[in-house]
Amino acid sequence: MFSINEIREQFPVLNQQVYVKPLVYFDNAATTQKPLCVIDRERDYYLHENCNIHRGVHYLSQKATEAYEHARQTVADFIHAKEAKEIIFTRGTTESLNLLATSFEHFCIGEGDNVLITAMEHHSNLVPWQQMVQRHHGQLLVVPMDDKGVLDLNRYEELLKEGPKVVSIAHISNVLGTINPVKEMIAMAHQYGIPVVVDGAQSIAHHPIDVQDLDCDFFVFSGHKMYAPMGIGGLYGKVEWLEKLPPYQFGGEMVDTVSFEKTTFNVLPYKFEAGTPNVGAALGLETAIQFIQSLDRNEVEKHETRLLQSAIEQLSDIEGIRFIGEAAHRSGLVSFIIDGIHPYDLGTIIDKMGVAVRTGHHCAEPVMTRFGIPGTVRASFALYNTMEEVEVFVNAVKKAAMMLR
Ligand code: PLP
């Protein structure tokens, strides 16, 4: 059963006033709030278990190591990886993508090689690949999208024929909410023998992920967008790829033997985890996963869809509104602009009414260029949001639009 009141009790941060108005938090695509169980887990670690891992023979170190490796197994099970060693803990999506871009560069990128992305990528899934291929006089191949924010799969197929070394695509766009047909796109890329990275930053909190079913070669995500602490996230990679790719960072933990002449590297997953990891946050991530799993995910998905549909329906009445992203298959968020009103002004005014949304380019400047706009107002939902909050938000937008006209 899905009780919104019980859920909200676990998020004390939501129960506050800003500018003497009840807070309506609709900036969940940027980061979600954290439930008490996650906060408690991290606190407990520092209260009772804090220790560096994998190194000590003593009790605390072994306990912390076991807990950290247990968290890895929980992540692996959550996204249905075959083995825990396919999960690399990172600081989040950005670090996972930088790891992959660097590692691929050393593994196989040569003069003039390309990487294929889409027109709706977050800068995190654009700049690391761009910088990497440009160092070798290659370029990004970009799958275009239509006016609704749907990718052109015919063009995708043509671009695959140009032989990019890697395909890296968002599962869900953080600006448009489009759910991309990643399973189909992965199968298409594999016909040309090209590995595929899925940026799951916006999907993992909202939809069950099965990396084996998707058959993606890599899947990257951030903990803080799925009710876990900041500073932790992950990279899933098929074992055969992780074995082949060279390490990203160097230092302690990721080595096997070291001499002044030569270093050999540790086995998976440690080969990719140089230095002391964020153990407390990894345990918080595990608890966040358990929190998500304790709920009926079907019900949660339906609830979030109802919030989205209601927001779109009510906003549609506003004169001069233009939705940015109208794909039939979409999730989690609504982006829009209103004729003659700068998104920043609108966001600033509704903030004073207690409503937290994001305004601007959402770290996806090429998407703004594509639609010929300076930015959007983006409201993004999470499982603790309510229909009443949607109403408050829509009324605030209507009021602000009137004031600004
Ligand atoms: N990719 C997408 C689709 C995102 O929405 C974000 C963050 O908003 C990122 C990547 C970067 O995530 P992080 O800043 O947690 O590394």
Side-chain angles (χ1 to χ4, degrees), residues 114-377:
N114 303 325
V115 168
L116 193 160
I117 63 165
T118 81
M120 61 177 81
E121 299 308 324
H122 187 282
H123 294 162
S124 286
N125 196 27
L126 186 164
V127 183
W129 300 114
Q130 175 195 60
Q131 296 300 303
M132 185 269 268
V133 287
Q134 284 182 354
R135 280 193 286 274
H136 302 274
H137 309 108
Q139 57 173 337
L140 291 178
L141 305 178
V142 183
V143 186
M145 60 180 155
D146 67 14
D147 291 343
K148 288 192 179 312
V150 176
L151 293 175
D152 178 346
L153 292 192
N154 290 328
R155 185 72 190 126
Y156 174 57
E157 175 105 47
E158 283 168 20
L159 291 171
L160 286 173
K161 290 180 187 155
E162 292 188 29
K165 290 290 178 183
V166 185
V167 168
S168 193
I169 45 180
H171 197 174
I172 297 182
S173 157
N174 67 309
V175 182
L176 313 164
T178 309
I179 304 175
N180 288 318
V182 286
K183 190 171 172 181
E184 188 184 342
M185 293 174 79
I186 291 161
M188 287 166 76
H190 284 172
Q191 283 184 348
Y192 296 87
I194 305 165
V196 182
V197 181
V198 175
D199 173 353
Q202 294 297 340
S203 61
I204 192 164
H206 306 286
H207 304 282
I209 303 296
D210 184 333
V211 289
Q212 291 185 63
D213 180 56
L214 288 176
D215 198 26
C216 54
D217 301 279
F218 305 94
F219 184 93
V220 298
F221 64 94
S222 298
H224 71 94
K225 293 183 196 287
M226 52 182 292
Y227 313 104
M230 291 192 174
I232 189 76
L235 158 65
Y236 155 83
K238 284 181 181 166
V239 166
E240 51 271 34
W241 271 112
L242 294 179
E243 294 285 7
K244 276 191 288 200
L245 289 176
Y248 166 53
Q249 291 180 329
F250 301 89
E253 196 60 39
M254 51 76 63
V255 292
D256 179 24
T257 62
V258 179
S259 71
F260 288 117
E261 290 74 34
K262 184 176 174 206
T263 296
T264 58
F265 302 122
N266 207 339
V267 294
L268 290 177
Y270 314 111
K271 179 175 110 176
F272 289 104
E273 290 183 4
T276 300
N278 193 343
V279 180
L283 305 188
L285 173 61
E286 175 175 42
T287 305
I289 289 173
Q290 289 160 347
F291 166 72
I292 293 172
Q293 285 174 324
S294 73
L295 303 167
D296 180 336
R297 293 202 79 182
N298 245 334
E299 282 300 310
V300 170
E301 226 176 291
K302 276 194 219 153
H303 172 67
E304 290 179 354
T305 304
R306 277 195 295 268
L307 296 173
L308 176 65
Q309 283 169 349
S310 173
I312 293 171
E313 229 174 87
Q314 295 184 57
L315 287 168
S316 302
D317 292 346
I318 298 173
E319 202 193 311
I321 196 159
R322 176 181 166 203
F323 293 107
I324 304 299
E326 295 182 282
H329 202 204
R330 57 187 293 192
S331 164
L333 61 91
V334 56
S335 261
F336 62 92
I337 51 167
I338 299 176
D339 268 356
I341 296 176
H342 198 284
Y344 178 82
D345 295 337
L346 193 92
T348 306
I349 291 182
I350 69 172
D351 171 51
K352 299 291 182 291
M353 302 178 194
V355 181
V357 292
R358 182 135 304 223
T359 63
H361 57 54
H362 317 295
C363 296
E365 279 191 52
V367 178
M368 304 302 129
T369 308
R370 162 67 180 78
F371 287 95
I373 53 176
T376 75
V377 177

